[in-house]
Amino acid sequence: FDAGRVQQVLEGVLAGALGTTVYSPQGSAPLTQSLAELLRSRAKEVVPPRYKLVCHVLLGQWGQQSLLVASRALWDPRSDSFASATFSNASLFAVATVHGVYFE
């Protein structure tokens, strides 16, 4: 699992898909779901086939708030890893994380 390469994929997809998108509360759920599916499929292209991928996307309205995103997982640090990327524009922010778990 090449976390650096997966992070580049995440950054590129987020920037391409959300470049000038305006936040909409009604449209955020389907947008988040389609982003997660797109990110997982693009990450699969650069990750060895023995890895199972878990993709998590957080999307919100950009304002005066602060946000901390954390995750925990039970895995083997020798073979499992993750990559994360953030994106923001004048209207919204997005945090995408892909966990790669080696499957024997």
Side-chain angles (χ1 to χ4, degrees):
F1 190 89
D2 185 354
R5 191 165 178 203
V6 175
Q7 181 177 356
Q8 289 175 346
V9 169
L10 296 178
E11 290 170 350
V13 170
L14 288 176
L18 299 175
T20 58
T21 302
V22 177
Y23 179 78
S24 165
Q26 295 79 20
S28 62
L31 177 58
T32 303
Q33 185 176 9
S34 66
L35 269 175
E37 291 172 5
L38 178 61
L39 290 168
R40 188 175 67 81
S41 68
R42 294 282 175 85
K44 273 187 164 184
E45 295 171 3
V46 298
V47 173
R50 296 296 299 182
Y51 280 89
K52 299 293 182 183
L53 301 179
V54 178
C55 185
H56 180 257
V57 177
L58 177 68
L59 183 71
Q61 185 175 16
W62 185 252
Q64 298 298 320
Q65 78 278 18
S66 63
L67 178 73
L68 175 65
V69 177
S71 65
R72 294 177 68 177
L74 180 62
W75 65 20
D76 184 355
R78 292 172 290 162
S79 59
D80 304 336
S81 189
F82 75 97
S84 184
T86 61
F87 174 83
S88 63
N89 63 20
S91 178
L92 58 82
F93 68 89
V95 179
T97 304
V98 173
H99 292 88
V101 181
Y102 187 74
F103 184 72
E104 293 183 10

